Amino acid sequence: RIMSGLLFLQHGTAKVLGFPVVEGVPPPGLSLPGLSGPLELLFGALLVVGLFTRPVAFLSAGFCAVGYWIAHGSSGFYPILNGGELIALYCFVFLYIFAAGPGPWSLDAALRKRA
């Protein structure tokens, strides 16, 4: 959960904050690629700290599935040929996190202990 959140967060920082600098990254704005950066930033940060883990992981999986079909699926069926391997893998990792839950090192677990 932590590492996949950090990697997802990195996509958001590249799009929103311009760090690290990546060629061809769309600027933030009111377009589908422009909205992806803030969502990756928010969802990645929430996954790293383990807050609202299950709903965030579920939304992230859906976000990745839609992104795969919009950005890669139109270029062919096979992810290895259409460049969509990474986003497809993210989708299934997030589905796993949704099913498995946040784990003991999370704010969700800490809040559950307090209650």
Side-chain angles (χ1 to χ4, degrees), residues 64-101:
C64 288
V66 169
Y68 174 83
W69 288 110
I70 289 174
H72 302 281
S74 61
S75 301
F77 180 75
Y78 299 104
I80 197 166
L81 298 176
N82 66 24
E85 289 176 294
L86 181 61
I87 197 167
L89 183 60
Y90 272 128
C91 179
F92 286 98
V93 167
F94 293 143
L95 280 176
Y96 171 76
I97 293 169
F98 167 70

Side-chain angles (χ1 to χ4, degrees), residues 11-48:
H11 286 274
T13 61
K15 292 174 184 169
V16 174
L17 306 175
F19 178 80
V21 176
V22 179
E23 277 188 47
V25 169
L30 293 177
S31 67
L32 196 55
L35 290 174
S36 67
L39 287 176
E40 291 163 344
L41 193 64
L42 175 65
F43 290 171
L46 288 171
L47 286 170
V48 169

